[in-house]
Amino acid sequence: MSLIENVALEVAMRTQHKRHGLASTVSRRPPHRRELRRESCEDVGGNRFTVIAWRPYAGLRITHYELEDGTPVRVIDDCLFEIETTGQTLSRCDE
């Protein structure tokens, strides 16, 4: 290949759009996620929610919490959770 053909090929390769497929999708959830438990909770208005406790990888002592729709939740104490995006508190239900 001549120098001009080589440069033209490099420019053509740089301007191509990346293909979208399985390799380009980013998942929020780790592939080895392990669910530990589900807890029934409610807000001050009596609306019911389910908080899911899970571990991102087996063997790690890190526990994450989220609602069924994937909304992140943090633990306040043994009886309360807080929805991170809204600040709304949820209390565990006695069942």
Side-chain angles (χ1 to χ4, degrees), residues 6-61:
N6 209 5
V7 170
L9 180 61
E10 285 181 31
V11 169
M13 290 176 69
R14 274 190 243 140
T15 59
Q16 289 181 354
H17 295 289
K18 295 189 186 237
R19 296 180 188 259
H20 295 287
L22 293 177
S24 67
T25 58
V26 177
S27 175
R28 199 176 135 228
R29 296 182 176 168
H32 303 291
R33 158 191 175 111
R34 182 174 154 237
E35 186 174 315
L36 301 174
R37 65 185 173 280
R38 290 177 178 245
E39 305 210 28
S40 296
C41 299
E42 63 181 34
D43 64 8
V44 291
N47 299 308
R48 308 273 258 165
F49 295 86
T50 299
V51 173
I52 301 169
W54 58 276
R55 291 226 168 106
Y57 297 99
L60 289 181
R61 296 307 234 165

Side-chain angles (χ1 to χ4, degrees), residues 28-29 33 49-54 64-75 81-88 90:
R28 199 176 135 228
R29 296 182 176 168
R33 158 191 175 111
F49 295 86
T50 299
V51 173
I52 301 169
W54 58 276
H64 294 270
Y65 299 87
E66 66 183 31
L67 298 179
E68 287 179 304
D69 67 359
T71 303
V73 175
R74 73 177 184 91
V75 176
F81 293 99
E82 178 184 64
I83 299 174
E84 291 183 10
T85 55
T86 63
Q88 183 178 13
L90 307 174

